[in-house]
Amino acid sequence: MNVQPFTSESYSGDAGEAAWQDVLRGFGLQSQGARHGSPAHASALSRLSSTGVRLGKFSADAQSLRPLPSRAGLPLLLMPVENSTVLVAGDDRQIVAAGQLILAPRGADWQLQFQRGLRAVVLSVPAEAFRGRKVPPLAGAQPRVFGAEGLPDIVGRTALATAEALDRLSEAEWEAVAQSAADLLLALSGELVAATSDPSSSRAALLQRLYATIERSIGSEDISIADIAKAEGISERYVQKLFEGTGESFSHYLRERRLQRAWHDLANPAEAAVPIAEIAYRCGFADAAHFSRLFRERFGLPPRELRRREADRQTHSAVASGQRGWPQEALVQLRARQAASGPVRRPAPRGDGDDAGTPVPEAPARHYLPVHAQHVHWGYFSRSLEPLIEIASGDIVTVETLTQHASDDPERMIEGDPGAESVFHWTSTDKTVNRRGAGPLDASVFGRGAGEGFGVHICTGPIAVHGAQPGDVLEVHILDIEPRRSRHPAHAGRVFGSSVAAWWGYHYSELLSEPHPRECVTIYEIVTDTAEPYARALHSYRWEPQTDPSGVQHVLYDYPGVLVRPGTVTLQAKVLEGVRIPLRPHFGVIAVAPREAELVDSVPPAYFGGNLDNWRLGKGATVYLPVSVPGALLSVGDPHAAQGDGELSGTAIECSMTGTFRVTLHKKADIGGSVLADLTYPLIETPEDWVLTGFSHPNYLAEFGASSQSEVYAKSSLDLAMRDAFRKMRRFLMTTKALSEDEAVALMSAAVDFGITQVVDGNWGVHAILSKRLFAQHERGESGPEC
Amino acid sequence: MTKHHLPATPDTVHWGYFSKTLAPVLTLKSGDRAVIESITHHANDDYARMIEGDRAAEEIFLWTKDQKTLRRRGAGATDGPFTYGSGEGLGVHLLTGPVAIEGAEPGDIIEVRVIDTWPRPSANPAYAGRFFGSNPAANWGFQYKDLIEGPAPREVVTIYELDMGEASVKALYSYLWTPQTDPDGITHPTIDYPGVRVDHTTIVKKEGILAGISVPARLHFGTMGLAPAEADFVSTIPPNYTGGNMDDWRIAKGARMYYPVAVPGGLFSCGDAHASQGDSELSGTAIEISLTGEFEFILHKKEELDGTILEGLTHPILENDDVWSVYGFSVANYLSELGPDHQSEILKRGSLDSAMRDAFRKLRRFLMTTQKLSEDEAISLMSVAADFAVTQVVDANWGVTGSIRKSLFPAR
């Protein structure tokens, strides 16, 4: 999204001042004389449209703003909010109250003195925004102040309302609003023309009205100079004279505007389905062939070609700004197609036949699930996957998992390791794990690859649990976690991980240093042969476009498992020198299959577990998951060597690991009165604490229905996740500890710690930690699942 | 080093506001220590246990038809007619101070080390030597509009006892808030003005609550900070760039807080002590108790900050044996960002989303400035090793704490 948040708080010292001037420069403004002494503060939220319309809301310490030397475009619209300002133009000084509008020509001599702090909304519209439509001549015009009534009031309110909603508008909404704001500003600028002291001003105003009339009648094929003259109540001759004064004939201007309008409509993705002949007709060209010829003469390419190029450009820009999950439109098309297709099937095993057979009936048995191409599903959960093995309640299963980020350093994390090589194997003719993500196999949405990377985690599984039925609870206890060692001769026995500061990271929209945006991969070594194991950074590199074996170029890190080839990136040594990161080995993903959809993106966590990304889920911890499909279908993946609360950059230290789990099934009938009664979310238990997982949308699949896998990314919020965590903890205390609501609320305020789990997985997380110590002498409720 | 003693008396406390216009009640030199008493503004929730027999508390809370020792409570209007009372309860915390540090100037940093904290015993012979606190689930709490049992909405006060031997706190009883009429005749249907004595004949005590549950003690001062420069009277409720109502239980014994100085002398005040609090302070208050603290004050002059962890600091940070923490707020400096109506505007701005944004930016800046990391290094390290937690969701300007362990870094 092209919303640009800015605050001087991000910067140290003078860098903040320079960055603030950069923001203002985007609007054709500069700041003068921020008051010194107290720390200078400035913040802004601004957004730029594809046609160059820029709207921003500023909040800063007292200072003066002046226009930069001339830039073509409409006058700037400035609207002081809350505080008044002083407009100085030549010798004139005028106080402008909050809520009034200032229309100030670019590059002219004026300044605005915000003496009690700068708080304003600013709209900047360049000439290009109108694609050839005439902008009134404003040389020599003076800034003008408008009260809040009539047209100025409408313009002001539009600007203000848009500024307030700037970061909540979708791309399409913003483009529409920006264009409307530009049109409104154009209309208002007409008033400025009328007010210039130039003797030709009334003529200019009249001309401006003629232009507006032409805009309204562009669609009628036989619009004539006589019609226009009549509409204004003047003679045809006078109309001709007025146009001659601009150096352009009426008929030439009319044709130019029609062609420009056609260009605009052809380039609009929302109109992609409208036949070209219809667009031509709507712009006043009854003959499509004639239109094509004129269009080619004017723009040097046929209409069809323009449309194709624009479509390419749109796709490219969507890729460059990054988008997670399904776009809405694609989901609509998917539903139509899905009716015809069958369930997901894993490719048939290719020979080595080491799948475990039928489970041994007497528990507890031990099972071992090695990782290779036939044992993983990549980037999605599915209720339709055939289980690899079926285990009994109480069995112990050891599961090898791979990090999807092993491809960031294939030499250290893949080569020589048969399991990893099998999963990551990808040549121009052969890709062992083809589907990566819940997207379409033919990559018809973005063209990134099969599955579109809508979901990225390599999950080992699924494991069916004998007798598990919806309504039961599956207990997954982590007995051990062992890192997976490199098998490459040069690094054998050592352990490596990767952390990517990716485009889905929390930081991505507001990087400080150049170039931005950028993605940065840091390779870590995990040092385990010491009393206190730790991770240290080896080197980092900036992500460079990578071409995968299928020939698709990945400008961004938008598809998992694309092997980064040596020589395509520049390694930077001496990264985080001397910094030792204590390990917190855990599995980011532990999931049972969700019931709502056939294919579910592995990125957003929800009631079924999944990408919980909570580092407390390490050795000795347990997660309880509500079963929603027969057999439960347990999968594990996304191993992490260390992660902070927040997982800010988008990833942890992603490191292949092997986990040993004791899996216990709690039947619905047996859990009444225990902590598992009524469990509808992943509940984590550590030796010391209960950790409840709150999400922006606790069951986004049910909440958003068919559009869930798109909506969940659009509506992330910690405020919602906090609300969810609060409600879950209240329920937990009332249900399992038999507290009244008042007791529960009191205890939460005095003794429950709320923390931020992650702000990068679409469905953001806040967890609530309840210490078991509180209940050492408490007898009212149950303390654990006694089954 | 000199050790001073600052008792809580009507002359050494101010109620509900920070103000650069207050004359210091004590002036210290850098390096001096002071023992400062504080009395909780919730003491009147149980007058018998928390005020009666304690002469200083009795005087401070004294309010009859004819006499009100501390008239102004809050940064609001002091000319009637009042909606709630003088100061309008726009700020509620009873603070002791201000303490000036000699030579402190805007741009400097004042370090406050919490050497020790201990509770103030009840002076009522019936409870002599015991320690009590109060925890109202109040109208500004996160739960207030989201209650599932009736009557809704409601405010509930829980009275706790602190056991210093066990270092734990246990609930004694609770009661539903009932409309209380103050000596000036204003009725308070909700908890809307501090220091109104709850008439225990109007309430019904509920005993046996939270039975068997003991909350580990986390003694700390919820509010510690310096006077801001932007306005003469500033509500104590929203925390801000000079500190104030941080409500972080980690600001406890062993902590060092660093505050940017905004006015000459710094003007430090403290109060709002808590026996314990969870991250989020969900119901609107912690277990509010009267504590006394011993503090050491160190002045770091502006010109000596470069190359230290205080370089470029424009907001409070915490240091203890384990971590450095920065505090993100919904609005980083609401006094300068929100315009003339900042004190009411901030009440609408509470959001964890904006507080997380602020915490991220502050921690990135801290790592880049003081640990000399590149931006890419800072971001990678924050993702794999920094922990973000919810500080509070009840003080108007909501908080997210970003903490980074000191042990990550080699000795420099």
Side-chain angles (χ1 to χ4, degrees):
Chain A
M1 197 150 73
N2 46 17
V3 183
Q4 291 154 336
F6 164 85
T7 169
S8 53
E9 287 292 310
S10 297
Y11 301 85
S12 205
D14 295 340
E17 171 69 17
W20 171 232
Q21 293 286 9
D22 278 347
V23 172
L24 292 174
R25 193 170 303 125
F27 288 86
L29 289 168
Q30 60 180 316
S31 160
Q32 283 194 321
R35 211 184 289 153
H36 282 285
S38 59
H41 174 86
S43 63
L45 187 68
S46 62
R47 196 162 177 177
L48 179 65
S49 84
S50 63
T51 55
V53 176
R54 198 186 286 268
L55 182 76
K57 191 176 181 203
F58 300 160
S59 166
D61 286 339
Q63 56 192 281
S64 295
L65 296 184
R66 302 175 52 114
L68 284 165
S70 189
R71 284 191 356 166
L74 291 187
L76 289 170
L77 178 79
L78 297 113
M79 185 178 178
V81 186
E82 294 169 26
N83 288 340
S84 62
T85 181
V86 178
L87 170 65
V88 182
D91 296 333
D92 277 2
R93 295 173 62 85
Q94 181 178 1
I95 293 174
V96 183
Q100 291 189 309
L101 294 187
I102 303 160
L103 205 56
R106 292 156 189 275
D109 182 23
W110 52 264
Q111 61 168 299
L112 285 177
Q113 298 172 345
F114 291 88
Q115 290 163 341
R116 288 193 295 147
L118 161 58
R119 256 162 278 283
V121 168
V122 184
L123 174 65
S124 159
V125 178
E128 309 88 83
F130 299 102
R131 297 183 185 277
R133 190 168 158 190
K134 292 276 182 183
V135 169
L138 284 165
Q142 289 295 307
R144 184 161 163 210
V145 175
F146 295 92
E149 53 188 23
L151 179 63
D153 185 37
I154 293 168
V155 180
R157 285 188 205 218
T158 304
L160 196 60
T162 311
E164 294 295 343
L166 218 46
D167 50 357
R168 295 192 298 276
L169 293 174
S170 74
E171 206 61 43
E173 289 169 343
W174 159 242
E175 288 293 336
V177 172
Q179 200 55 47
S180 312
D183 286 336
L184 284 171
L185 187 60
L186 181 65
L188 189 61
S189 299
E191 309 238 352
L192 199 61
V193 177
T196 50
S197 49
D198 187 336
S200 64
S201 69
S202 65
R203 233 174 346 173
L206 177 56
L207 198 50
Q208 203 52 39
R209 286 204 300 276
L210 293 180
Y211 290 146
T213 309
I214 292 170
E215 290 304 314
R216 282 194 299 275
S217 15
I218 247 170
S220 53
E221 191 201 351
D222 48 3
I223 173 179
S224 72
I225 200 160
D227 299 336
I228 301 288
K230 200 172 158 202
E232 274 299 325
I234 53 176
S235 74
E236 284 181 49
R237 177 70 201 117
Y238 190 42
V239 172
Q240 272 165 348
K241 241 185 102 180
L242 280 172
F243 271 92
E244 278 161 19
T246 69
E248 190 174 24
S249 74
F250 169 80
S251 58
H252 185 264
Y253 178 77
L254 178 61
R255 188 203 300 162
E256 174 66 14
R257 282 304 304 142
R258 285 174 159 167
L259 288 169
Q260 289 283 358
R261 178 76 70 88
W263 170 290
H264 183 254
D265 288 355
L266 286 166
N268 183 352
E271 308 241 341
V274 180
I276 290 176
E278 190 179 324
I279 286 178
Y281 183 75
R282 163 201 297 176
C283 296
F285 299 99
D287 178 348
H290 176 61
F291 163 70
S292 286
R293 192 170 51 75
L294 286 177
F295 192 92
R296 187 181 349 208
E297 275 171 15
R298 171 64 183 84
F299 298 112
L301 80 176
R304 194 171 312 279
E305 175 66 10
L306 167 76
R307 196 173 237 186
R308 199 187 56 75
R309 278 196 204 175
E310 283 300 309
D312 283 358
R313 203 178 56 82
Q314 294 285 346
T315 316
H316 183 77
S317 72
V319 166
S321 63
Q323 175 167 0
R324 293 190 106 175
W326 283 84
Q328 285 280 13
E329 317 81 70
L331 270 177
V332 174
Q333 291 162 15
L334 173 78
R335 280 199 295 284
R337 263 186 290 148
Q338 255 181 354
S341 70
V344 190
R345 291 267 176 258
R346 193 194 309 272
R350 290 192 308 178
D352 35 5
D354 58 353
D355 283 348
T358 46
V360 188
E362 5 3 297
R366 285 183 171 266
H367 310 265
Y368 193 91
L369 264 188
V371 71
H372 57 70
Q374 280 72 46
H375 279 179
V376 301
H377 49 105
W378 195 330
Y380 62 94
F381 305 114
S382 175
R383 62 192 180 199
S384 305
L385 281 171
E386 294 291 339
L388 302 176
I389 52 171
E390 188 183 49
I391 64 172
S393 176
D395 283 3
I396 290 167
V397 54
T398 298
V399 184
E400 293 182 3
T401 70
L402 292 175
T403 172
Q404 65 275 11
H405 287 281
S407 52
D408 297 342
D409 191 338
E411 179 184 305
R412 288 183 172 78
M413 293 189 269
I414 299 176
E415 286 170 25
D417 179 336
E421 284 181 345
S422 131
V423 170
F424 282 90
H425 177 74
W426 185 359
T427 65
S428 58
T429 53
D430 189 21
K431 183 180 170 195
T432 48
V433 185
N434 189 32
R435 172 180 283 284
R436 303 180 186 183
L441 266 185
D442 61 3
S444 55
V445 179
F446 292 130
R448 295 170 184 164
E452 292 283 23
F454 296 166
V456 298
H457 309 98
I458 302 174
C459 303
T460 307
I463 298 165
V465 180
H466 187 76
Q469 290 297 332
D472 299 344
V473 170
L474 196 67
E475 171 185 347
V476 182
H477 176 67
I478 304 170
L479 294 165
D480 200 11
I481 302 181
E482 271 296 315
R484 188 177 185 93
R485 295 178 187 277
S486 179
R487 309 258 186 102
H488 186 275
H491 313 288
R494 293 165 68 188
V495 180
F496 301 97
S498 168
S499 184
V500 183
W503 57 266
W504 63 87
Y506 189 77
H507 63 288
Y508 190 69
S509 64
E510 52 166 309
L511 285 161
L512 302 173
S513 48
E514 295 291 340
H516 55 78
R518 65 179 182 276
E519 295 177 292
C520 181
V521 180
T522 306
I523 303 297
Y524 287 88
E525 175 162 14
I526 317 302
V527 181
T528 54
D529 53 353
T530 162
E532 289 177 23
Y534 61 91
R536 65 182 180 97
L538 287 183
H539 54 247
S540 70
Y541 59 85
R542 197 156 290 159
W543 181 263
E544 298 289 349
Q546 297 288 329
T547 303
D548 69 33
S550 306
V552 176
Q553 197 195 41
H554 302 274
V555 177
L556 291 177
Y557 204 115
D558 62 5
Y559 192 73
V562 174
L563 301 171
V564 175
R565 297 285 169 204
T568 60
V569 294
T570 309
L571 297 189
Q572 185 174 350
K574 300 194 174 172
V575 177
L576 289 169
E577 269 187 295
V579 175
R580 289 184 170 198
I581 299 157
L583 300 189
R584 292 168 167 177
H586 63 283
F587 291 94
V589 170
I590 299 183
V592 292
R595 63 181 168 269
E596 285 81 0
E598 181 74 27
L599 282 172
V600 175
D601 183 334
S602 70
V603 171
Y607 76 93
F608 53 85
N611 193 23
L612 294 170
D613 282 335
N614 195 319
W615 57 265
R616 292 162 189 82
L617 202 40
K619 182 175 175 172
T622 302
V623 62
Y624 300 92
L625 300 170
V627 174
S628 56
V629 301
L633 299 185
L634 172 69
S635 299
V636 183
D638 191 29
H640 295 164
Q643 188 208 294
D645 277 338
E647 205 188 12
L648 195 122
S649 79
T651 64
I653 298 181
E654 313 276 331
C655 167
S656 299
M657 299 193 295
T658 297
T660 298
F661 307 90
R662 188 182 62 230
V663 180
T664 311
L665 180 66
H666 299 277
K667 293 300 291 178
K668 187 178 184 178
D670 304 332
I671 53 183
S674 82
V675 293
L676 303 182
D678 198 27
L679 187 72
T680 56
Y681 55 88
L683 170 66
I684 297 172
E685 181 180 11
T686 70
E688 299 81 27
D689 302 311
W690 294 104
V691 182
L692 278 63
T693 53
F695 303 111
S696 299
H697 305 282
N699 182 349
Y700 74 94
L701 293 168
E703 182 178 350
F704 298 125
S707 60
S708 60
Q709 303 201 40
S710 174
E711 287 286 309
V712 68
Y713 289 104
K715 313 214 162 164
S716 311
S717 159
L718 284 178
D719 289 323
L720 291 176
M722 175 71 203
R723 185 60 63 189
D724 185 42
F726 153 64
R727 290 178 176 149
K728 281 171 173 166
M729 183 53 90
R730 175 174 58 185
R731 193 172 103 190
F732 184 86
L733 290 170
M734 292 175 70
T735 312
T736 73
K737 304 293 177 190
L739 300 185
S740 71
E741 182 178 27
D742 292 336
E743 290 175 305
V745 168
L747 196 62
M748 272 190 273
S749 201
V752 172
D753 293 321
F754 290 81
I756 289 157
T757 323
Q758 48 75 24
V759 288
V760 293
D761 294 336
N763 204 6
W764 291 4
V766 166
H767 53 256
I769 304 176
L770 176 68
S771 168
K772 294 180 186 174
R773 219 176 103 194
L774 300 172
F775 301 96
Q777 303 145 331
H778 178 72
E779 284 159 7
R780 236 187 282 169
E782 290 289 329
S783 60
E786 314 279 332
C787 9
Chain B
M1 183 192 78
T2 318
K3 189 157 156 181
H4 303 261
H5 186 252
L6 183 60
T9 70
D11 299 325
T12 63
V13 299
H14 49 108
W15 200 329
Y17 57 90
F18 285 98
S19 176
K20 62 184 178 189
T21 67
L22 285 174
V25 294
L26 178 66
T27 298
L28 304 179
K29 288 188 168 47
S30 178
D32 282 358
R33 286 191 179 187
V35 170
I36 304 178
E37 295 177 6
S38 81
I39 294 179
T40 174
H41 53 293
H42 285 284
N44 244 337
D45 294 341
D46 187 336
Y47 178 86
R49 285 183 172 80
M50 293 190 271
I51 296 179
E52 198 173 335
D54 183 332
R55 222 179 116 213
E58 284 176 352
E59 281 181 31
I60 288 168
F61 278 86
L62 176 73
W63 184 0
T64 65
K65 205 150 47 69
D66 310 312
Q67 209 184 346
K68 184 180 174 192
T69 311
L70 288 165
R71 184 150 285 285
R72 174 179 210 137
R73 302 181 185 182
T78 51
D79 300 322
F82 300 114
T83 310
Y84 307 111
S86 179
E88 294 290 18
L90 191 62
V92 297
H93 308 97
L94 182 56
L95 302 181
T96 309
V99 176
I101 309 303
E102 260 181 45
E105 292 294 333
D108 298 344
I109 301 287
I110 288 177
E111 174 184 350
V112 181
R113 298 184 177 189
V114 184
I115 305 299
D116 202 359
T117 55
W118 58 91
R120 185 181 185 94
S122 178
N124 183 338
Y127 308 107
R130 292 164 67 185
F131 311 111
F132 300 100
S134 169
N135 167 236
N139 60 74
W140 59 89
F142 194 75
Q143 81 293 341
Y144 190 66
K145 291 180 181 147
D146 195 354
L147 288 167
I148 51 178
E149 291 182 346
R154 66 183 180 277
E155 294 176 305
V156 176
V157 178
T158 307
I159 302 297
Y160 284 85
E161 179 164 5
L162 165 67
D163 180 335
M164 284 300 282
E166 270 190 20
S168 71
V169 198
K170 292 196 177 95
L172 289 179
Y173 67 92
S174 71
Y175 60 87
L176 195 66
W177 178 269
T178 51
Q180 298 292 325
T181 302
D182 70 33
D184 293 336
I186 295 180
T187 299
H188 303 274
T190 63
I191 305 173
D192 59 19
Y193 192 75
V196 175
R197 187 192 299 191
V198 174
D199 178 353
H200 276 220
T201 63
T202 67
I203 59 157
V204 179
K205 286 189 187 179
K206 194 169 175 183
E207 316 272 350
I209 54 156
L210 292 168
I213 293 175
S214 61
V215 175
R218 290 171 167 176
L219 302 190
H220 65 282
F221 286 85
T223 302
M224 286 168 47
L226 308 181
E230 285 80 356
D232 283 350
F233 290 88
V234 176
S235 165
T236 57
I237 293 171
N240 203 23
Y241 75 104
T242 52
N245 191 23
M246 311 294 288
D247 282 330
D248 181 6
W249 57 267
R250 294 165 191 81
I251 306 176
K253 179 176 175 172
R256 304 170 172 195
M257 284 297 293
Y258 301 92
Y259 302 100
V261 175
V263 300
L267 301 184
F268 172 87
S269 302
C270 67
D272 183 31
H274 298 160
S276 196
Q277 188 209 296
D279 277 340
S280 87
E281 203 187 16
L282 192 118
S283 78
T285 65
I287 299 175
E288 312 280 329
I289 198 168
S290 301
L291 292 183
T292 298
E294 181 178 348
F295 304 94
E296 183 172 318
F297 296 85
I298 297 161
L299 176 64
H300 299 274
K301 292 299 289 178
K302 191 177 183 177
E303 50 278 12
E304 298 159 4
L305 305 180
D306 284 3
T308 74
I309 58 155
L310 306 180
E311 185 175 340
L313 191 66
T314 57
H315 52 83
I317 57 171
L318 161 75
E319 177 176 14
N320 61 27
D321 288 350
D322 304 319
V323 299
W324 289 298
S325 295
V326 299
Y327 295 91
F329 300 124
S330 297
V331 184
N333 179 349
Y334 79 93
L335 292 173
S336 80
E337 284 176 65
L338 294 187
D341 291 335
H342 50 76
Q343 308 229 19
S344 56
E345 189 60 25
I346 186 64
L347 301 174
K348 306 173 205 158
R349 296 300 189 92
S351 163
L352 286 180
D353 286 314
S354 40
M356 175 71 198
R357 202 35 82 187
D358 188 37
F360 153 63
R361 289 168 177 157
K362 282 172 173 163
L363 191 56
R364 172 174 63 182
R365 191 173 115 185
F366 178 83
L367 292 172
M368 291 174 71
T369 309
T370 72
Q371 301 302 319
K372 309 294 175 213
L373 301 185
S374 72
E375 184 180 24
D376 290 337
E377 290 175 307
I379 287 171
S380 189
L381 193 62
M382 276 192 276
S383 195
V384 305
D387 293 321
F388 291 87
V390 176
T391 333
Q392 48 73 25
V393 291
V394 293
D395 297 334
N397 202 7
W398 292 8
V400 165
T401 314
S403 300
I404 189 105
R405 285 159 285 177
K406 289 156 74 176
S407 62
L408 295 165
F409 302 98
R412 296 190 185 190

